[in-house]
Amino acid sequence: MQTTKIPATIVTGFLGSGKTTLLRHILQNAGGLRIAVIVNEFGELGIDGEILRGCGIGCDDEGNATDGTLYELANGCMCCTVQEEFFPVMQKLAEMRDRIDAVLIETSGLALPKPLVQAFQWPGIANVFTVDSVVTVVDGPAAASGQFAENPVAVDAQRRADPNLDHDSPLHELFEDQLSAADLVVLNKTDLMDDAARNSVEALIRGEIPAEVKIVSATEGRLPLALLLGQGRAAETTINLRQSHHDHEEDHDHDDFDSVVVKLPQVDRDRLLAQLEQLVAQQTIYRIKGFAAIPGKPMRLLVQGVGRRFDQHFDRRWNTAEVQRTELVFIGADLDEAALRAALNNAVIEGAAA
């Protein structure tokens, strides 16, 4: 009978900071650890789940989804829906405790970590799980330029748009709250920074965290697993001592996101990227995530965009019985769905089956 608690690592950080990339790195190098994954995002399609499945997580040997490994919470910010969304998933995992070595949780970009960590004190969770650590991922180049996200003006405007918000905190306060909960800070994308910029951002971060919290630099989240896992912090036992900007609020809400999912057949790679760049310039798009089917290529093209920066690579082979299709999710404000679809249709290969 298992007597030790199952460690859970919570990964937080703004949209585009590299949280999913960090999770993918952990999973690809897990060395046989049985890891349950919880991903949380706004939008009706769990593209982050697709990315993780590309690593073989949540699938059997044939690429078919299996139960109990990957959970996607797509009905809102995890810090707002802890009781409704998160707790039932943890109950399911508790029933499988003999088959799980660790839990990885990726929060949404606007989530407050503290309420989630506090949830590990609840009966039914506290006797099975412990928060091994909270890992906060920081977008180095964005922070170096005086911003905290790729497009902070748009994100802040989106946060302020709802007159019914219980709090009206600027973006820097959320940045500080994500740091205040951290047991480890990953300064990501340092390959895009010079020494002066990195030192400046490290000084900024150091001013928001206790002396014992380490800051580590990374490119694409590539760090030793011995550093990321097994910290043994039991963060739920000390989280109430960590101050945040929202300690005296009973609840909080985030502004509504617009989410549009576009499904297409095979597309031309160059035309697709060109259309995406045009759409980002024309509409308030915070994030683009998905995959594309490219003619003559046996693998999916994974596409992720934050602001006007796009990352792309082929992540896995198409399965034999799998329909080779293109599927993209757009997260933003006041999205013009018709314009999105019309623009992307320009990238479809003529005669390709839908």
Side-chain angles (χ1 to χ4, degrees):
M1 183 174 181
Q2 183 170 334
T3 56
T4 58
K5 294 183 180 182
I6 298 171
T9 300
I10 298 172
V11 181
T12 186
F14 282 149
L15 289 170
S17 61
K19 300 188 301 296
T20 299
T21 302
L22 179 68
L23 259 69
R24 185 167 59 240
H25 167 72
I26 293 173
L27 296 171
Q28 287 175 326
N29 296 277
L33 278 177
R34 300 170 299 176
I35 300 178
V37 181
I38 302 174
V39 292
N40 176 222
E41 64 178 20
F42 291 96
E44 64 182 271
L45 179 64
I47 287 292
D48 279 344
E50 282 291 344
I51 293 170
L52 296 173
R53 288 192 185 97
C55 308
I57 302 299
C59 296
D60 59 22
D61 292 339
E62 301 300 322
N64 301 309
T66 58
D67 182 43
T69 305
L70 175 65
Y71 290 90
E72 298 171 62
L73 306 184
N75 293 326
C77 172
M78 194 184 294
C79 64
C80 304
T81 60
V82 167
Q83 185 168 353
E84 296 85 355
E85 291 286 323
F86 175 69
F87 186 64
V89 168
M90 297 306 289
Q91 285 182 309
K92 291 180 182 178
L93 293 181
E95 295 171 359
M96 303 165 53
R97 65 187 75 181
D98 293 334
R99 290 180 279 157
I100 298 174
D101 297 317
V103 179
L104 280 177
I105 302 171
E106 178 192 353
T107 71
S108 73
L110 292 178
L112 302 176
K114 190 169 182 177
L116 179 60
V117 177
Q118 289 172 321
F120 280 79
Q121 301 170 345
W122 294 357
I125 295 182
N127 61 334
V128 181
F129 302 96
T130 182
V131 180
D132 185 70
S133 67
V134 176
V135 178
T136 298
V137 185
V138 174
D139 184 328
S145 65
Q147 305 173 148
F148 308 109
E150 177 72 14
N151 193 344
V153 175
V155 174
D156 198 44
Q158 170 259 324
R159 286 170 56 79
R160 295 172 180 274
D162 187 349
N164 297 315
L165 279 176
D166 289 333
H167 69 264
D168 187 24
S169 58
L171 201 60
H172 74 83
E173 289 188 1
L174 178 55
F175 179 73
E176 291 167 0
D177 282 356
Q178 291 183 346
L179 288 174
S180 71
D183 298 296
L184 178 71
V185 177
V186 175
L187 178 56
N188 207 22
K189 307 179 186 178
T190 52
D191 57 316
L192 304 178
M193 308 169 66
D194 58 25
D195 290 342
R198 186 168 62 251
N199 291 336
S200 174
V201 174
E202 287 184 358
L204 171 68
I205 295 171
R206 181 52 63 192
E208 301 295 337
I209 60 177
E212 65 270 17
V213 175
K214 289 184 172 59
I215 304 171
V216 294
S217 297
T219 297
E220 296 182 346
R222 294 194 295 267
L223 291 167
L225 260 61
L227 178 63
L228 297 169
L229 305 180
Q231 294 191 46
R233 298 286 185 170
E236 71 277 11
T237 63
T238 60
I239 190 65
N240 291 335
L241 302 177
R242 307 187 191 191
Q243 301 298 311
S244 78
H245 292 281
H246 305 94
D247 285 343
H248 304 294
E249 296 177 358
E250 294 183 1
D251 196 5
H252 70 278
D253 293 313
H254 296 298
D255 307 318
D256 290 336
F257 282 92
D258 281 345
S259 170
V260 175
V261 178
V262 179
K263 299 180 181 180
L264 301 166
Q266 291 185 334
V267 295
D268 180 85
R269 181 176 182 171
D270 293 338
R271 294 208 305 267
L272 174 66
L273 295 173
Q275 292 298 326
L276 292 177
E277 290 176 358
Q278 287 186 19
L279 287 169
V280 167
Q282 295 166 355
Q283 299 197 40
T284 306
I285 298 172
Y286 304 136
R287 189 80 187 270
I288 300 172
K289 301 189 289 184
F291 51 88
I294 308 299
K297 300 294 184 181
M299 302 181 73
R300 297 188 324 179
L301 179 68
L302 188 68
V303 179
Q304 297 194 77
V306 179
R308 300 194 180 191
R309 186 176 65 237
F310 288 90
D311 295 321
Q312 50 166 318
H313 67 272
F314 290 100
D315 70 327
R316 68 164 173 84
R317 298 183 69 87
W318 294 100
N319 297 315
T320 304
E322 193 175 10
V323 177
Q324 296 189 18
R325 71 189 192 284
T326 298
E327 196 163 339
L328 298 167
V329 61
F330 294 79
I331 302 171
D334 300 319
L335 296 180
D336 185 338
E337 182 172 351
L340 289 176
R341 296 185 183 280
L344 293 177
N345 279 332
N346 292 326
V348 173
I349 299 296
E350 186 175 352

